[in-house]
Coordinates of all heavy atoms in Angstrom, one line a residue:
M200 N 7.2 -10.2 15.6 CA 6.0 -10.7 14.9 C 5.7 -9.8 13.7 O 5.8 -8.6 13.8 CB 4.8 -10.7 15.9 CG 3.5 -11.1 15.3 SD 2.2 -11.2 16.5 CE 1.0 -12.1 15.7
Y201 N 5.4 -10.4 12.6 CA 5.1 -9.7 11.4 C 4.0 -10.4 10.6 O 3.7 -11.6 10.9 CB 6.3 -9.4 10.5 CG 6.8 -10.6 9.8 CD1 6.3 -11.0 8.6 CD2 7.9 -11.3 10.3 CE1 6.8 -12.1 7.9 CE2 8.4 -12.4 9.6 CZ 7.9 -12.8 8.4 OH 8.4 -13.8 7.8
A202 N 3.3 -9.7 9.7 CA 2.3 -10.2 8.9 C 2.5 -9.7 7.5 O 3.1 -8.7 7.2 CB 0.9 -9.8 9.4
V203 N 2.0 -10.5 6.5 CA 2.0 -10.1 5.1 C 0.5 -9.9 4.7 O -0.3 -10.8 4.8 CB 2.6 -11.2 4.2 CG1 2.6 -10.7 2.8 CG2 4.1 -11.4 4.6
I204 N 0.2 -8.6 4.3 CA -1.1 -8.3 4.0 C -1.2 -7.9 2.5 O -0.2 -7.5 1.9 CB -1.7 -7.1 4.8 CG1 -0.9 -5.8 4.7 CG2 -1.8 -7.5 6.3 CD1 -1.5 -4.6 5.3
A205 N -2.4 -8.0 1.9 CA -2.6 -7.6 0.5 C -3.6 -6.5 0.5 O -4.7 -6.6 1.1 CB -3.0 -8.8 -0.3
T206 N -3.3 -5.4 -0.2 CA -4.3 -4.3 -0.4 C -3.9 -3.5 -1.6 O -2.7 -3.3 -1.8 CB -4.4 -3.4 0.9 OG1 -5.4 -2.4 0.6 CG2 -3.1 -2.8 1.2
G207 N -4.8 -3.1 -2.4 CA -4.6 -2.3 -3.6 C -3.8 -3.0 -4.6 O -3.0 -2.4 -5.4
G208 N -3.8 -4.3 -4.7 CA -3.1 -5.1 -5.7 C -1.6 -5.3 -5.3 O -0.9 -5.8 -6.2
K209 N -1.2 -4.9 -4.1 CA 0.2 -5.1 -3.7 C 0.2 -5.8 -2.4 O -0.8 -5.9 -1.7 CB 0.9 -3.8 -3.6 CG 0.9 -3.0 -4.9 CD 1.5 -1.6 -4.6 CE 1.6 -0.8 -5.9 NZ 0.3 -0.3 -6.3
Q210 N 1.4 -6.4 -2.0 CA 1.6 -7.1 -0.8 C 2.6 -6.3 0.1 O 3.6 -5.8 -0.4 CB 2.1 -8.5 -1.0 CG 1.1 -9.3 -1.8 CD 1.6 -10.7 -2.1 OE1 2.7 -11.0 -1.7 NE2 0.8 -11.5 -2.8
Y211 N 2.3 -6.3 1.4 CA 3.2 -5.5 2.3 C 3.5 -6.4 3.5 O 2.6 -7.1 4.1 CB 2.5 -4.2 2.8 CG 2.1 -3.3 1.7 CD1 0.8 -3.4 1.1 CD2 2.9 -2.3 1.3 CE1 0.4 -2.5 0.1 CE2 2.6 -1.4 0.3 CZ 1.3 -1.5 -0.3 OH 1.0 -0.6 -1.3
R212 N 4.8 -6.3 3.9 CA 5.2 -7.0 5.2 C 5.2 -6.0 6.3 O 5.9 -5.0 6.2 CB 6.6 -7.6 5.0 CG 7.2 -8.3 6.2 CD 8.6 -8.7 6.0 NE 9.1 -9.5 7.0 CZ 9.9 -9.0 8.0 NH1 10.3 -7.8 7.9 NH2 10.4 -9.8 8.9
V213 N 4.4 -6.2 7.3 CA 4.1 -5.2 8.3 C 4.4 -5.8 9.7 O 4.1 -6.9 9.9 CB 2.7 -4.6 8.2 CG1 2.5 -3.8 6.9 CG2 1.7 -5.6 8.4
S214 N 4.8 -4.9 10.6 CA 4.9 -5.2 12.0 C 4.1 -4.2 12.8 O 3.8 -3.1 12.2 CB 6.4 -5.2 12.5 OG 7.1 -6.2 11.8
E215 N 3.9 -4.4 14.1 CA 3.2 -3.4 14.9 C 4.1 -2.1 15.0 O 5.3 -2.2 15.2 CB 2.9 -3.9 16.2 CG 1.8 -5.0 16.2 CD 1.4 -5.6 17.5 OE1 1.9 -5.0 18.6 OE2 0.6 -6.5 17.6
G216 N 3.5 -1.0 14.8 CA 4.2 0.3 14.8 C 4.7 0.8 13.5 O 5.2 1.9 13.4
D217 N 4.6 0.0 12.5 CA 5.1 0.4 11.1 C 4.2 1.4 10.5 O 2.9 1.4 10.7 CB 5.2 -0.8 10.2 CG 6.4 -1.7 10.5 OD1 7.2 -1.3 11.3 OD2 6.5 -2.8 9.8
V218 N 4.7 2.3 9.7 CA 3.9 3.3 9.0 C 4.2 3.0 7.5 O 5.3 3.0 7.0 CB 4.3 4.8 9.3 CG1 3.5 5.7 8.4 CG2 4.1 5.1 10.8
I219 N 3.1 2.7 6.8 CA 3.2 2.3 5.4 C 2.3 3.2 4.5 O 1.3 3.7 5.0 CB 3.0 0.8 5.1 CG1 1.5 0.4 5.5 CG2 4.0 0.0 5.8 CD1 1.1 -0.9 5.1
R220 N 2.6 3.3 3.2 CA 1.8 4.0 2.3 C 1.1 3.0 1.4 O 1.8 2.3 0.7 CB 2.6 5.0 1.5 CG 3.0 6.3 2.2 CD 3.7 7.2 1.3 NE 4.0 8.5 1.9 CZ 4.5 9.5 1.3 NH1 4.9 9.4 0.1 NH2 4.8 10.6 2.0
V221 N -0.2 3.0 1.4 CA -0.9 2.0 0.5 C -1.7 2.8 -0.5 O -1.8 4.0 -0.4 CB -1.8 1.1 1.3 CG1 -1.0 0.3 2.3 CG2 -2.9 1.9 2.1
E222 N -2.3 2.1 -1.5 CA -3.2 2.8 -2.4 C -4.3 3.5 -1.7 O -4.7 3.0 -0.6 CB -3.8 1.8 -3.4 CG -2.8 1.1 -4.3 CD -2.2 2.0 -5.3 OE1 -2.9 2.9 -5.8 OE2 -0.9 1.9 -5.5
K223 N -4.9 4.5 -2.2 CA -5.9 5.3 -1.6 C -7.1 4.5 -1.1 O -7.6 3.7 -1.9 CB -6.4 6.5 -2.5 CG -7.3 7.4 -1.8 CD -7.7 8.5 -2.7 CE -8.7 9.4 -2.0 NZ -9.2 10.5 -2.9
L224 N -7.5 4.6 0.2 CA -8.5 3.8 0.7 C -9.8 4.6 0.8 O -10.9 4.0 1.0 CB -8.1 3.3 2.1 CG -6.9 2.4 2.2 CD1 -6.5 2.1 3.6 CD2 -7.2 1.1 1.4
G225 N -9.8 5.9 0.7 CA -11.1 6.6 0.9 C -11.6 6.7 2.3 O -12.8 6.7 2.5
V226 N -10.7 6.7 3.3 CA -11.1 6.8 4.7 C -10.5 8.1 5.3 O -9.4 8.5 4.9 CB -10.5 5.6 5.4 CG1 -10.9 5.6 6.9 CG2 -10.9 4.3 4.8
E227 N -11.2 8.7 6.2 CA -10.8 10.0 6.8 C -9.6 9.7 7.7 O -9.4 8.7 8.3 CB -12.0 10.6 7.5 CG -13.1 11.0 6.6 CD -12.7 12.1 5.7 OE1 -11.9 13.0 6.0 OE2 -13.2 12.1 4.5
V228 N -8.9 10.8 8.0 CA -7.7 10.8 8.9 C -8.2 10.5 10.3 O -9.2 11.1 10.7 CB -6.9 12.1 8.8 CG1 -5.8 12.1 9.8 CG2 -6.4 12.3 7.4
G229 N -7.5 9.6 11.0 CA -7.9 9.3 12.4 C -8.8 8.1 12.5 O -8.9 7.5 13.6
E230 N -9.4 7.6 11.5 CA -10.2 6.5 11.5 C -9.4 5.2 11.5 O -8.2 5.2 11.2 CB -11.2 6.4 10.3 CG -12.3 7.5 10.4 CD -13.3 7.3 9.3 OE1 -13.5 6.2 8.9 OE2 -13.9 8.4 8.9
T231 N -10.0 4.1 11.9 CA -9.3 2.8 12.0 C -9.7 2.0 10.8 O -10.9 1.9 10.4 CB -9.7 2.1 13.3 OG1 -9.4 2.9 14.4 CG2 -9.0 0.7 13.4
V232 N -8.8 1.3 10.2 CA -9.0 0.4 9.0 C -8.6 -1.0 9.4 O -7.6 -1.2 10.1 CB -8.1 0.9 7.9 CG1 -8.3 -0.1 6.7 CG2 -8.4 2.3 7.5
T233 N -9.3 -2.0 9.0 CA -9.0 -3.4 9.2 C -8.7 -4.1 7.9 O -9.5 -4.1 7.0 CB -10.2 -4.1 9.9 OG1 -10.5 -3.4 11.2 CG2 -9.8 -5.5 10.3
F234 N -7.5 -4.6 7.8 CA -7.1 -5.4 6.7 C -7.4 -6.9 7.0 O -6.8 -7.5 7.9 CB -5.6 -5.2 6.3 CG -5.3 -3.8 6.0 CD1 -4.6 -3.0 6.9 CD2 -5.6 -3.2 4.8 CE1 -4.2 -1.7 6.6 CE2 -5.3 -1.9 4.5 CZ -4.6 -1.1 5.4
D235 N -8.3 -7.5 6.2 CA -8.7 -8.9 6.5 C -8.0 -9.8 5.5 O -8.2 -11.0 5.7 CB -10.2 -9.0 6.5 CG -10.8 -8.6 5.2 OD1 -10.1 -8.0 4.4 OD2 -12.1 -8.8 5.1
Q236 N -7.4 -9.3 4.5 CA -6.7 -10.2 3.6 C -5.2 -10.4 4.0 O -4.3 -9.8 3.5 CB -6.8 -9.6 2.2 CG -6.4 -10.6 1.1 CD -6.7 -10.0 -0.3 OE1 -7.1 -8.8 -0.4 NE2 -6.5 -10.8 -1.3
V237 N -5.1 -11.3 5.0 CA -3.8 -11.6 5.6 C -3.3 -12.9 4.9 O -3.9 -13.9 4.9 CB -3.9 -11.8 7.1 CG1 -2.5 -12.1 7.7 CG2 -4.4 -10.5 7.7
L238 N -2.1 -12.8 4.3 CA -1.5 -13.9 3.6 C -0.6 -14.8 4.5 O -0.5 -16.0 4.2 CB -0.7 -13.4 2.4 CG -1.5 -12.5 1.4 CD1 -0.6 -12.0 0.3 CD2 -2.7 -13.2 0.9
A239 N 0.1 -14.2 5.4 CA 1.0 -15.0 6.3 C 1.2 -14.2 7.6 O 1.1 -13.0 7.6 CB 2.4 -15.1 5.6
V240 N 1.5 -15.0 8.6 CA 1.8 -14.4 10.0 C 3.0 -15.2 10.5 O 3.0 -16.4 10.5 CB 0.6 -14.5 10.9 CG1 1.0 -14.1 12.3 CG2 -0.6 -13.7 10.4
K241 N 4.0 -14.5 11.0 CA 5.1 -15.1 11.7 C 5.2 -14.6 13.1 O 5.4 -13.5 13.4 CB 6.4 -14.8 11.0 CG 7.6 -15.5 11.7 CD 8.7 -15.6 10.8 CE 9.8 -16.6 11.3 NZ 10.5 -16.4 12.4
N242 N 4.9 -15.5 14.1 CA 5.0 -15.3 15.5 C 6.2 -16.1 16.0 O 7.3 -15.6 16.2 CB 3.8 -15.6 16.2 CG 3.7 -15.0 17.6 OD1 4.7 -14.4 18.0 ND2 2.7 -15.2 18.4
D243 N 6.0 -17.4 16.3 CA 7.1 -18.3 16.5 C 7.5 -19.0 15.3 O 8.6 -19.2 15.0 CB 6.7 -19.3 17.6 CG 6.4 -18.6 18.9 OD1 7.0 -17.5 19.2 OD2 5.5 -19.1 19.7
A244 N 6.4 -19.5 14.5 CA 6.6 -20.2 13.3 C 5.8 -19.5 12.2 O 4.8 -18.8 12.5 CB 6.2 -21.6 13.4
L245 N 6.2 -19.6 11.0 CA 5.4 -19.0 9.9 C 4.1 -19.8 9.6 O 4.1 -21.0 9.5 CB 6.3 -19.0 8.6 CG 5.7 -18.3 7.4 CD1 5.5 -16.8 7.7 CD2 6.6 -18.5 6.2
K246 N 3.0 -19.0 9.6 CA 1.7 -19.6 9.3 C 1.2 -19.1 8.0 O 1.2 -17.8 7.8 CB 0.7 -19.3 10.4 CG 1.1 -19.9 11.7 CD 0.1 -19.5 12.8 CE 0.5 -20.0 14.2 NZ -0.4 -19.5 15.2
V247 N 0.7 -19.9 7.1 CA 0.2 -19.5 5.8 C -1.1 -20.3 5.5 O -1.3 -21.3 6.2 CB 1.2 -19.6 4.6 CG1 2.3 -18.7 4.8 CG2 1.7 -21.0 4.5
G248 N -1.8 -19.9 4.5 CA -3.0 -20.7 4.1 C -4.1 -20.7 5.1 O -4.5 -19.7 5.6
D249 N -4.6 -21.9 5.4 CA -5.8 -22.1 6.3 C -5.4 -21.7 7.7 O -6.3 -21.5 8.5 CB -6.3 -23.5 6.2 CG -7.1 -23.8 4.9 OD1 -7.5 -22.8 4.3 OD2 -7.2 -24.9 4.6
D250 N -4.1 -21.7 8.0 CA -3.7 -21.4 9.4 C -3.9 -20.0 9.8 O -4.0 -19.6 10.9 CB -2.2 -21.7 9.6 CG -1.9 -23.2 9.5 OD1 -2.8 -24.0 9.7 OD2 -0.7 -23.6 9.2
V251 N -4.0 -19.1 8.8 CA -4.2 -17.6 9.1 C -5.7 -17.2 8.7 O -5.9 -16.0 8.6 CB -3.2 -16.8 8.3 CG1 -1.8 -17.0 8.9 CG2 -3.3 -17.0 6.8
K252 N -6.5 -18.2 8.5 CA -7.9 -17.8 8.2 C -8.5 -17.1 9.4 O -8.5 -17.5 10.5 CB -8.7 -19.1 7.9 CG -10.0 -18.9 7.2 CD -10.6 -20.1 6.7 CE -11.7 -19.8 5.7 NZ -11.8 -20.7 4.6
G253 N -9.1 -16.0 9.1 CA -9.7 -15.1 10.2 C -8.8 -14.1 10.8 O -9.1 -13.4 11.7
A254 N -7.5 -14.1 10.4 CA -6.5 -13.2 10.9 C -6.8 -11.8 10.3 O -7.2 -11.7 9.2 CB -5.1 -13.6 10.6
T255 N -6.6 -10.8 11.1 CA -6.8 -9.4 10.7 C -5.6 -8.5 11.2 O -4.9 -8.9 12.1 CB -8.1 -8.8 11.2 OG1 -8.1 -8.8 12.7 CG2 -9.3 -9.5 10.7
V256 N -5.5 -7.4 10.5 CA -4.5 -6.4 10.9 C -5.2 -5.1 11.0 O -5.9 -4.6 10.1 CB -3.4 -6.3 9.9 CG1 -2.4 -5.1 10.2 CG2 -2.6 -7.6 9.8
E257 N -5.1 -4.4 12.2 CA -5.8 -3.1 12.5 C -4.8 -2.0 12.3 O -3.6 -2.1 12.8 CB -6.3 -3.1 13.9 CG -7.5 -4.1 14.1 CD -8.0 -4.1 15.5 OE1 -7.6 -3.2 16.3 OE2 -8.8 -5.0 15.8
A258 N -5.2 -0.9 11.6 CA -4.3 0.2 11.4 C -5.1 1.5 11.5 O -6.3 1.5 11.3 CB -3.7 0.1 10.0
Q259 N -4.4 2.6 11.8 CA -5.0 3.9 11.9 C -4.5 4.8 10.8 O -3.3 4.8 10.5 CB -4.7 4.5 13.3 CG -5.4 5.8 13.5 CD -5.1 6.4 14.9 OE1 -4.2 5.9 15.6 NE2 -5.7 7.5 15.2
V260 N -5.4 5.5 10.2 CA -5.1 6.4 9.0 C -4.4 7.6 9.6 O -4.9 8.3 10.4 CB -6.3 6.7 8.2 CG1 -6.0 7.7 7.1 CG2 -7.0 5.5 7.7
I261 N -3.2 7.9 9.1 CA -2.4 9.0 9.5 C -2.6 10.2 8.5 O -2.8 11.3 8.9 CB -0.9 8.7 9.5 CG1 -0.7 7.7 10.6 CG2 -0.1 9.9 9.8 CD1 0.7 7.2 10.7
S262 N -2.6 9.9 7.2 CA -2.8 11.0 6.2 C -3.2 10.4 4.9 O -3.0 9.3 4.6 CB -1.5 11.8 6.1 OG -0.5 11.0 5.5
N263 N -3.8 11.3 4.1 CA -4.1 11.0 2.7 C -3.3 12.1 1.9 O -3.2 13.2 2.2 CB -5.6 11.2 2.4 CG -6.4 10.1 3.1 OD1 -6.1 8.9 2.9 ND2 -7.4 10.5 3.8
G264 N -2.8 11.6 0.7 CA -2.0 12.6 -0.1 C -1.7 12.0 -1.5 O -2.3 11.0 -1.9
R265 N -0.8 12.7 -2.1 CA -0.4 12.3 -3.5 C 1.1 12.3 -3.5 O 1.8 13.2 -3.0 CB -1.0 13.3 -4.5 CG -2.5 13.2 -4.5 CD -3.1 14.2 -5.5 NE -3.0 13.7 -6.8 CZ -3.3 14.4 -7.9 NH1 -3.7 15.7 -7.8 NH2 -3.1 13.9 -9.1
E266 N 1.6 11.3 -4.3 CA 3.1 11.2 -4.4 C 3.6 12.3 -5.3 O 2.9 13.1 -5.9 CB 3.4 9.8 -5.1 CG 3.0 8.6 -4.3 CD 3.9 8.3 -3.1 OE1 5.0 8.9 -3.0 OE2 3.6 7.5 -2.3
K267 N 5.0 12.3 -5.5 CA 5.6 13.3 -6.4 C 5.2 12.9 -7.8 O 4.9 11.8 -8.1 CB 7.1 13.2 -6.2 CG 7.7 13.8 -5.0 CD 9.2 13.8 -5.1 CE 9.8 14.7 -4.0 NZ 11.3 14.7 -4.1
K268 N 5.3 13.9 -8.6 CA 4.9 13.8 -10.0 C 5.9 12.9 -10.8 O 7.1 13.1 -10.7 CB 4.7 15.1 -10.7 CG 4.2 14.9 -12.2 CD 3.9 16.3 -12.8 CE 2.5 16.7 -12.4 NZ 2.1 17.8 -13.2
V269 N 5.4 12.0 -11.6 CA 6.2 11.2 -12.5 C 6.0 11.6 -13.9 O 4.8 11.7 -14.3 CB 5.9 9.7 -12.3 CG1 6.7 8.8 -13.3 CG2 6.2 9.2 -10.9
I270 N 7.0 12.0 -14.6 CA 6.9 12.5 -16.0 C 7.0 11.3 -16.9 O 8.0 10.5 -16.9 CB 7.9 13.5 -16.3 CG1 7.8 14.7 -15.3 CG2 7.8 14.0 -17.7 CD1 6.5 15.5 -15.4
V271 N 6.0 11.2 -17.8 CA 6.1 10.1 -18.9 C 6.3 10.9 -20.2 O 5.4 11.7 -20.6 CB 4.8 9.3 -18.9 CG1 4.8 8.3 -20.0 CG2 4.5 8.7 -17.6
Y272 N 7.4 10.6 -20.9 CA 7.7 11.3 -22.2 C 7.9 10.2 -23.2 O 8.7 9.4 -23.1 CB 8.9 12.1 -22.0 CG 9.2 13.0 -23.2 CD1 8.4 14.2 -23.4 CD2 10.1 12.7 -24.1 CE1 8.6 15.0 -24.5 CE2 10.3 13.6 -25.2 CZ 9.5 14.7 -25.4 OH 9.7 15.5 -26.5
K273 N 7.0 10.3 -24.3 CA 7.1 9.4 -25.4 C 7.7 10.1 -26.6 O 7.3 11.2 -26.9 CB 5.8 8.8 -25.7 CG 5.1 8.0 -24.6 CD 3.8 7.5 -25.0 CE 3.2 6.7 -23.8 NZ 1.9 6.2 -24.2
F274 N 8.6 9.5 -27.4 CA 9.2 10.1 -28.5 C 9.6 9.1 -29.5 O 10.1 8.0 -29.2 CB 10.5 10.8 -28.0 CG 11.4 11.3 -29.1 CD1 11.1 12.5 -29.7 CD2 12.5 10.6 -29.5 CE1 11.9 13.1 -30.7 CE2 13.3 11.1 -30.6 CZ 13.0 12.4 -31.1
K275 N 9.3 9.4 -30.8 CA 9.7 8.5 -31.9 C 10.5 9.3 -32.8 O 10.1 10.4 -33.3 CB 8.5 7.9 -32.6 CG 7.7 6.9 -31.7 CD 6.7 6.1 -32.5 CE 6.1 5.2 -31.5 NZ 5.1 4.3 -32.2
A276 N 11.7 8.8 -33.2 CA 12.6 9.6 -34.0 C 12.1 9.7 -35.4 O 11.4 8.8 -36.0 CB 14.0 8.9 -34.0
K277 N 12.4 10.8 -36.1 CA 12.2 11.0 -37.5 C 10.7 11.2 -37.9 O 10.4 11.2 -39.1 CB 12.8 9.9 -38.4 CG 14.3 9.8 -38.2 CD 14.9 8.7 -39.0 CE 16.3 8.5 -38.6 NZ 16.9 7.3 -39.2
T278 N 9.8 11.1 -37.0 CA 8.4 11.3 -37.3 C 7.7 12.5 -36.7 O 6.6 12.8 -37.1 CB 7.6 10.0 -36.8 OG1 7.7 10.0 -35.4 CG2 8.1 8.8 -37.4
G279 N 8.5 13.2 -35.9 CA 7.9 14.4 -35.3 C 6.9 14.1 -34.1 O 6.2 15.0 -33.7
Y280 N 6.9 12.8 -33.7 CA 6.0 12.4 -32.6 C 6.6 12.6 -31.2 O 7.7 12.0 -31.0 CB 5.5 11.0 -32.8 CG 4.7 10.4 -31.7 CD1 3.4 10.7 -31.5 CD2 5.3 9.6 -30.7 CE1 2.6 10.2 -30.5 CE2 4.5 9.1 -29.6 CZ 3.2 9.5 -29.5 OH 2.5 9.0 -28.5
H281 N 6.0 13.3 -30.4 CA 6.4 13.4 -29.0 C 5.2 13.7 -28.1 O 4.4 14.5 -28.5 CB 7.6 14.3 -28.7 CG 7.3 15.7 -29.2 ND1 6.7 16.7 -28.3 CD2 7.5 16.3 -30.3 CE1 6.6 17.8 -29.0 NE2 7.0 17.6 -30.2
K282 N 5.1 13.1 -27.0 CA 4.0 13.3 -26.1 C 4.5 13.3 -24.6 O 5.3 12.5 -24.2 CB 3.0 12.2 -26.2 CG 1.7 12.4 -25.5 CD 0.7 11.3 -25.8 CE -0.6 11.6 -25.1 NZ -1.7 10.7 -25.6
K283 N 4.1 14.3 -23.9 CA 4.5 14.5 -22.5 C 3.3 14.3 -21.6 O 2.2 15.0 -21.9 CB 5.2 15.8 -22.3 CG 5.7 16.0 -20.9 CD 6.4 17.4 -20.8 CE 6.9 17.6 -19.4 NZ 7.6 18.9 -19.2
N284 N 3.4 13.5 -20.6 CA 2.3 13.3 -19.7 C 2.8 13.2 -18.2 O 3.9 12.8 -18.0 CB 1.6 12.0 -20.1 CG 0.2 11.9 -19.4 OD1 -0.2 12.7 -18.7 ND2 -0.4 10.7 -19.6
G285 N 2.0 13.6 -17.3 CA 2.4 13.5 -15.9 C 1.4 12.7 -15.1 O 0.3 12.6 -15.4
H286 N 1.9 12.2 -13.9 CA 1.0 11.4 -13.1 C 1.4 11.5 -11.6 O 2.6 11.4 -11.3 CB 1.1 9.9 -13.5 CG 0.2 9.0 -12.7 ND1 -1.1 8.9 -12.7 CD2 0.6 8.1 -11.7 CE1 -1.6 8.1 -11.8 NE2 -0.5 7.6 -11.2
R287 N 0.4 11.7 -10.8 CA 0.6 11.7 -9.3 C -0.3 10.7 -8.7 O -1.5 10.8 -8.8 CB 0.3 13.1 -8.7 CG 1.3 14.1 -9.1 CD 1.0 15.5 -8.5 NE 1.2 15.4 -7.1 CZ 0.9 16.3 -6.2 NH1 0.3 17.4 -6.6 NH2 1.1 16.2 -4.9
Q288 N 0.3 9.7 -8.1 CA -0.5 8.6 -7.5 C -1.0 9.0 -6.1 O -0.3 9.5 -5.3 CB 0.4 7.3 -7.4 CG -0.4 6.1 -6.9 CD -1.4 5.6 -7.9 OE1 -1.2 5.7 -9.1 NE2 -2.5 5.1 -7.4
A289 N -2.3 8.7 -5.9 CA -2.9 9.0 -4.5 C -2.5 7.9 -3.6 O -2.4 6.7 -4.0 CB -4.4 9.1 -4.7
Y290 N -2.3 8.2 -2.3 CA -1.9 7.2 -1.3 C -2.6 7.5 0.0 O -3.1 8.6 0.2 CB -0.4 7.2 -1.1 CG 0.1 8.4 -0.4 CD1 0.2 8.5 1.0 CD2 0.7 9.4 -1.1 CE1 0.7 9.6 1.6 CE2 1.2 10.6 -0.5 CZ 1.2 10.6 0.9 OH 1.7 11.7 1.5
T291 N -2.7 6.5 0.9 CA -3.1 6.7 2.3 C -2.0 6.1 3.2 O -1.6 5.0 3.0 CB -4.4 5.9 2.5 OG1 -5.4 6.4 1.7 CG2 -4.9 6.0 4.0
A292 N -1.5 7.0 4.1 CA -0.5 6.5 5.0 C -1.2 6.0 6.3 O -2.1 6.6 6.8 CB 0.4 7.7 5.4
V293 N -0.8 4.7 6.7 CA -1.5 4.1 7.8 C -0.4 3.6 8.8 O 0.7 3.3 8.4 CB -2.4 2.9 7.4 CG1 -3.5 3.4 6.6 CG2 -1.6 1.8 6.7
K294 N -0.7 3.6 10.1 CA 0.2 3.1 11.1 C -0.5 1.8 11.6 O -1.6 1.8 12.0 CB 0.3 4.1 12.3 CG 1.2 3.6 13.3 CD 1.4 4.6 14.5 CE 2.3 4.0 15.5 NZ 2.5 4.9 16.6
I295 N 0.3 0.7 11.6 CA -0.1 -0.6 12.0 C -0.2 -0.6 13.6 O 0.8 -0.4 14.2 CB 0.8 -1.7 11.5 CG1 1.0 -1.6 10.0 CG2 0.3 -3.1 11.9 CD1 -0.3 -1.7 9.2
N296 N -1.4 -0.9 14.1 CA -1.6 -0.9 15.5 C -1.5 -2.3 16.1 O -0.9 -2.5 17.2 CB -3.0 -0.2 15.9 CG -3.0 1.2 15.7 OD1 -2.0 1.9 15.7 ND2 -4.2 1.8 15.4
K297 N -2.2 -3.2 15.5 CA -2.3 -4.6 16.1 C -2.5 -5.6 15.0 O -3.2 -5.4 14.0 CB -3.6 -4.6 17.0 CG -3.7 -5.8 17.9 CD -4.8 -5.7 18.9 CE -4.8 -7.0 19.7 NZ -5.9 -6.9 20.7
I298 N -1.8 -6.8 15.3 CA -1.9 -7.9 14.4 C -2.7 -9.0 15.2 O -2.2 -9.5 16.2 CB -0.6 -8.5 14.0 CG1 0.2 -7.4 13.1 CG2 -0.7 -9.7 13.2 CD1 1.6 -7.7 12.8
N299 N -3.9 -9.3 14.7 CA -4.7 -10.3 15.4 C -4.6 -11.7 14.6 O -5.1 -11.8 13.5 CB -6.2 -9.9 15.4 CG -6.4 -8.6 16.1 OD1 -5.8 -8.4 17.1 ND2 -7.2 -7.7 15.5
A300 N -3.8 -12.6 15.2 CA -3.5 -13.8 14.4 C -4.2 -15.0 15.2 O -4.3 -15.1 16.3 CB -2.1 -14.1 14.4

């Protein structure tokens, strides 16, 4: 059994027991999070649209952190222009406990 959920502008295919990293949720470690934006559920047959209305996915927050640094370097030839910038994206790691379909 799996579900497709949407959070943080992205979609994730999850099953019970999976650990995924999503955009930062602002929830403390150990708390439970409920994802109510479920797009699809596959148990015996694939259900989408009005068939999954009211479906939820429960997950427990494992950790909050930041990804590795990504370096952004801009350069234009013959003009002396160059700019270096770094970015670390914040994430929340969650473990999927239950899919309520």
Side-chain angles (χ1 to χ4, degrees):
M200 178 176 192
Y201 70 85
V203 177
I204 61 171
T206 180
K209 298 176 181 72
Q210 297 175 2
Y211 300 91
R212 180 182 184 260
V213 297
S214 299
E215 291 183 6
D217 286 354
V218 176
I219 60 170
R220 286 184 173 183
V221 298
E222 296 292 322
K223 185 177 178 182
L224 298 174
V226 182
E227 295 296 323
V228 175
E230 291 187 27
T231 303
V232 177
T233 302
F234 298 106
D235 57 352
Q236 196 171 4
V237 178
L238 305 176
V240 174
K241 180 160 195 293
N242 193 359
D243 297 329
L245 184 65
K246 297 177 185 175
V247 295
D249 288 338
D250 294 339
V251 292
K252 196 167 195 147
T255 59
V256 174
E257 295 177 8
Q259 184 177 8
V260 176
I261 295 175
S262 67
N263 291 311
R265 296 176 77 190
E266 297 282 352
K267 285 186 169 181
K268 183 176 277 194
V269 176
I270 302 297
V271 180
Y272 189 76
K273 298 178 180 181
F274 173 80
K275 293 194 178 181
K277 302 177 187 171
T278 62
Y280 173 80
H281 57 90
K282 186 173 185 173
K283 185 177 179 183
N284 193 4
H286 176 73
R287 290 183 68 188
Q288 186 67 36
Y290 70 86
T291 299
V293 296
K294 181 178 181 184
I295 306 300
N296 291 334
K297 189 173 181 183
I298 298 173
N299 302 316

